[in-house]
Amino acid sequence: MEKRVNFEVIIIGGSYAGLSAAMSLGRSLRSVLVIDSGRPCNLQTPHSQNFLTHDGHTPGQIAAEARRQLMKYDTIKFHHGLAVGASKTDQGFTVTTQTGETFSGQKLIFATGIKDIMPDIPGFSACWGITVIHCPYCHGYEFRNAKTAILANGAKAYHLASLINNLTDDLTLLTNGRVEFDFPAAEKLKANDIAITEKRVVEIVHQDGRVEEVVFADGSRETFKAVYAALPFEQHSDIPVALGCALTEYGYIRVNTLQETTVAGVFACGDNVEMMRSVANAVASGNATGALVNKELVDERF
């Protein structure tokens, strides 16, 4: 049987947002192709929390179950590979993969996520997603009442401290250099008994991703059970920008209320468009985007 290469919608990225968009479209009898390289950003995370009906499941279990459910729809096809380019055509768009395969679609959805930029601190990457974590809603309950650090400075550190202070009374800010708080913020932190350490962090000692100690430049050490970190990020795929999609001042793909980017016919959903980073939010974002893309196809035909 000849392999299909033409679709109504191509979704680049097959994690939670992309799979959710595919279900929404596939159930509307749209021909959909999901292109995915199989490298989600939460690959190291042992369990996914705060997602109704899946609380405590592994990220892999959730994604595998989603794919299993989508396989029953003959409207949805999958391609395992890395999309490396996309271009505009008279009929829509052409997407090219790393192995040179080409697919065409009337609409594009980018559900490609973001890539965290790890600091040059030994032990940090090995703990990321396990005990060096980013979100109190995703991980905070599991580390409630535990001795906790926040590796951040300025407004991001203050924001995290205000949230995590509700989860533990033993909280220390590791600013990794001179503090960058204004006077009211510093006073509020002090009033809530949140310690501040300005010493530079040089290593995270761990056992299989489980934090044991944070080592400072002066040779001192402090034990912690969890370390929150506010990391810079970049878009996981450079295709949207190459295609002409604008980014926001924070580095997210700019979309309107219909999830459409600044390029007509190109949509985006999930972690690559918004700060609220969770499995539940990605699923909701993808579901809405699939419906909105279907509505645009309906309007163009009806």
Side-chain angles (χ1 to χ4, degrees), residues 270-290:
D271 293 349
N272 58 11
V273 301
E274 57 186 315
M275 191 178 301
M276 192 65 179
R277 190 176 176 185
S278 70
V279 176
N281 194 65
V283 170
S285 176
N287 179 266
T289 301

Side-chain angles (χ1 to χ4, degrees), residues 68-287:
R68 186 190 67 77
Q69 292 179 4
L70 291 180
M71 292 295 290
K72 72 180 182 182
Y73 295 101
D74 58 10
T75 48
I76 303 171
K77 305 300 179 186
F78 293 89
H79 178 79
H80 180 72
L82 179 65
V84 295
S87 57
K88 188 83 172 67
T89 68
D90 291 340
Q91 290 74 40
F93 302 90
T94 296
V95 176
T96 304
T97 69
Q98 194 173 44
T99 54
E101 294 178 274
T102 301
F103 302 94
S104 63
Q106 296 176 41
K107 309 292 180 184
L108 281 186
I109 298 176
F110 286 104
T112 41
I114 57 176
K115 185 189 301 182
D116 298 298
I117 300 173
M118 302 288 162
D120 187 20
I121 299 174
F124 187 100
S125 295
C127 297
W128 182 241
I130 303 171
T131 54
V132 176
I133 50 184
H134 78 287
C135 173
Y137 295 105
C138 299
H139 307 285
Y141 184 83
E142 284 62 45
F143 295 102
R144 64 196 182 279
N145 303 318
K147 186 174 182 181
T148 302
I150 298 173
L151 182 57
N153 208 339
K156 288 183 178 180
Y158 181 79
H159 174 67
L160 279 172
S162 67
L163 294 174
I164 301 164
N165 185 54
N166 188 56
L167 298 167
T168 179
D169 292 328
D170 197 346
L171 184 59
T172 301
L173 282 183
L174 309 179
T175 58
N176 208 24
R178 188 173 180 179
V179 296
E180 298 172 0
F181 303 114
D182 57 21
F183 178 75
E187 286 298 300
K188 186 68 72 71
L189 293 169
K190 182 178 179 180
N192 282 280
D193 295 321
I194 297 172
I196 299 176
T197 296
E198 296 180 287
K199 293 180 289 188
R200 186 166 61 87
V201 175
V202 297
E203 184 181 359
I204 294 178
V205 178
H206 67 96
Q207 186 67 40
D208 297 325
R210 302 288 172 182
V211 172
E212 294 180 345
E213 293 180 313
V214 172
V215 183
F216 300 99
D218 64 359
S220 62
R221 297 165 175 251
E222 190 167 358
T223 60
F224 293 101
K225 291 293 187 181
V227 178
Y228 287 84
L231 297 185
F233 69 88
E234 60 188 4
Q235 287 291 322
H236 195 266
S237 172
D238 58 7
I239 301 175
V241 170
L243 198 57
C245 300
L247 301 182
T248 70
E249 61 180 309
Y250 302 108
Y252 297 101
I253 299 174
R254 186 182 300 279
V255 293
N256 60 20
T257 56
L258 301 179
Q259 297 296 130
E260 190 171 28
T261 71
T262 53
V263 176
V266 179
F267 298 76
C269 57
D271 293 349
N272 58 11
V273 301
E274 57 186 315
M275 191 178 301
M276 192 65 179
R277 190 176 176 185
S278 70
V279 176
N281 194 65
V283 170
S285 176
N287 179 266

